[in-house]
Amino acid sequence: MESMAQAAHEEQAVEVTEKAKRRQYSAAYKLKILQEADGCRKPGEVGALLRREGLYSSHLAAWRKARAKGERKGLEARPRGPQAKVPDPRDQKLAEQERETARWKARAELAEALVEIQKKVAALLGIDLPESGGKRS
C-alpha cells in the first residue's frame, strides 16, 4: 500500500527548469576554437573538439564565414531583432498637422451643431430668423 502511495507521489513531482537562454560566445573564444579546428589533421579530431566544447558544425561554418569577412569584427556578437528606425521629421510634422486638422474639424462640426440647435429653438419659440446667404450684415 505504501509503495503505491510513494509511486503516486513521485509521479506528481514535476521538475521545473529555468527558462532556456541563448548561448553567446566571445570573439576570443570563437577564434580559439577556429584555430583548434584548423589545427586538426586526423579524421574525427574536429568532431571530438565539437563534442568536448558542446558545439555544432554549423557554429564552425558560420564563424569561418564571419572570419573571412573581417577577422575580429565578423566574430563579434551582433544585437538581435530589427534595427531601430530614426523618425523622419517630415513624418512628425505631418502627424502634427493631421492632429490639428482633426481638432479644427471637430470644432467646426460642434459649431454647426450649435447653429442647428439655435435654429430649432428659434422655430419652437416662433422667432423668424433672417435667411442669410452666407453674408453677415
Side-chain angles (χ1 to χ4, degrees), residues 2 28 37 46-47 59 64-65 70-71 95 102 105-106 125 134:
E2 287 182 33
V46 174
H59 286 121
R64 283 178 177 146
K65 186 185 282 188
E71 186 70 27
K105 185 176 180 181
L125 296 175

Side-chain angles (χ1 to χ4, degrees), residues 40-125:
C40 294
R41 299 287 177 230
K42 296 178 186 171
E45 285 185 347
V46 174
L49 169 70
L50 293 175
R51 283 190 297 278
R52 183 184 77 219
E53 297 294 330
L55 300 172
Y56 296 100
S57 60
S58 60
H59 286 121
L60 282 182
W63 295 347
R64 283 178 177 146
K65 186 185 282 188
R67 181 177 62 180
K69 287 182 181 177
E71 186 70 27
R72 191 84 170 165
K73 184 181 175 191
L75 295 174
E76 292 294 332
R78 290 174 286 147
R80 295 175 48 84
Q83 300 297 319
K85 294 182 182 178
V86 178
D88 189 3
R90 294 177 297 183
D91 290 340
Q92 290 176 342
K93 184 168 179 122
L94 183 61
E96 182 181 323
Q97 289 174 345
E98 286 175 354
R99 283 192 300 271
E100 188 174 348
T101 302
R103 193 169 40 247
W104 282 108
K105 185 176 180 181
R107 191 169 179 183
E109 288 172 355
L110 180 62
E112 288 176 8
L114 287 173
V115 169
E116 289 299 317
I117 290 173
Q118 288 174 346
K119 287 179 183 177
K120 288 180 182 180
V121 168
L124 287 173
L125 296 175

Side-chain angles (χ1 to χ4, degrees), residues 24-37:
Q24 295 181 346
Y25 305 103
S26 68
Y29 176 77
K30 292 176 185 178
L31 279 174
K32 183 186 98 164
I33 296 298
L34 286 175
Q35 289 171 353
E36 285 184 39

